[in-house]
Amino acid sequence: MSTPVLLVIAHGSRDPRHAATVHALVRRVRSLRPDVRVETGFLDFNGPSVQGVLESLETEGVRDVVALPLLLTRAFHAKADIPAVLADAPPRLRIRQAEVLGPSPLLLSALERRLYEAGLTPADKSSTGVVLASAGSSDPEAIAVIAEIAREWRHTGWCAVRPAFASASLPRTEDAVRELRALGCARVAVAPYVLAPGFLPDRIARGAAEADVLADVLGPSPEVARVLLERYDAARVPVLAAVGA
């Protein structure tokens, strides 16, 4: 019985940093699980396309694929775009769509890793307010998830945590920074809850101009790679069960 191929589905971007970061993350995933074949497909702007990868896999004789959305929240791309692309896959492929990456305690660990890399220390937590800055979405479910993550993260010892959004929703990063200043936090840090650089992460960075600390995007952090593999393992069990039925 073959191990399903892991197909990481990224959105894609005109910004070359996006694809470079996705590929770096995939390399880390491969290093953690050399027994799993990992491929990458993009929905837009970059190649190879998801459809092209699926067709190539079918031509090779692959039958089982776990398609993993490289997304932090379950919004439009996970609910509509990706299922539509997978519905057009070659019929001989057995595909299961894995869950999106967030929320996960590992992602909170990755956010803190980036903040510490940017200069904070664990001793700074109680006096530091954090802006959890995400790309934003028009999907109420996705917005509610970000707000809940901020509430959960606050209970780990930070002075305060406020969500912010680069598009579609409010508040913006700069407004959340000012709110934390008004609350009396000794310092304010911005933690981008995004996977790769691009247009919206750059908007977050501009909104962080008045903050004391700006962390890097999550990128190919080891915690993100582990979440990918957790989602893959959770999805592959039904695939293997179906094959053995």
Side-chain angles (χ1 to χ4, degrees):
M1 184 183 299
S2 62
T3 301
V5 171
L6 169 55
L7 172 58
V8 176
I9 301 179
H11 182 272
S13 171
R14 291 186 178 90
D15 189 322
R17 296 174 298 167
H18 174 89
T21 302
V22 170
H23 291 311
L25 175 59
V26 169
R27 286 194 296 271
R28 185 178 287 273
V29 172
R30 288 182 179 132
S31 72
L32 291 175
R33 289 283 291 277
D35 59 309
V36 176
R37 177 176 176 181
V38 187
E39 299 292 342
T40 309
F42 294 89
L43 293 174
D44 206 354
F45 302 116
N46 305 106
S49 68
V50 175
Q51 187 67 24
V53 174
L54 291 172
E55 290 172 357
S56 295
L57 291 173
E58 192 269 345
T59 300
E60 290 180 34
V62 171
R63 291 295 173 261
D64 297 301
V65 177
V66 170
L68 194 153
L70 197 59
L71 301 168
L72 294 171
T73 58
R74 182 172 163 74
F76 182 79
H77 293 304
K79 294 177 179 178
D81 283 354
I82 291 175
V85 171
L86 298 180
D88 288 334
R92 284 188 288 181
L93 288 176
R94 291 180 289 250
I95 302 174
R96 185 171 181 86
Q97 182 175 328
E99 292 296 329
V100 297
L101 303 184
S104 167
L106 284 170
L107 295 178
L108 286 181
S109 297
L111 286 166
E112 295 206 355
R113 170 193 290 273
R114 293 305 189 219
L115 285 169
Y116 297 150
E117 289 171 349
L120 292 179
T121 70
D124 296 324
K125 289 185 75 169
S126 63
S127 58
T128 302
V130 179
V131 178
L132 179 67
S134 76
S137 173
S138 58
D139 188 309
E141 177 186 348
I143 298 304
V145 167
I146 298 298
E148 178 58 31
I149 292 170
R151 284 191 291 270
E152 177 184 343
W153 203 15
R154 163 68 181 84
H155 294 308
T156 66
W158 297 101
C159 173
V161 180
R162 293 290 185 272
F165 307 94
S167 67
S169 306
L170 295 173
R172 295 286 184 257
T173 301
E174 53 267 33
D175 297 324
V177 169
R178 291 170 188 143
E179 180 185 354
L180 291 171
R181 290 272 189 228
L183 281 175
C185 297
R187 67 185 62 77
V188 176
V190 174
Y193 190 60
V194 293
L195 288 166
F199 176 75
L200 292 178
D202 284 349
R203 181 179 288 177
I204 290 171
R206 290 193 297 272
E210 297 179 16
D212 301 294
V213 174
L214 171 62
D216 199 358
V217 299
L218 296 175
S221 65
E223 296 88 354
V224 175
R226 287 169 57 195
V227 175
L228 260 73
L229 289 169
E230 285 185 356
R231 299 294 183 256
Y232 167 76
D233 287 333
R236 71 187 285 261
V237 173
V239 169
L240 295 178
V243 173

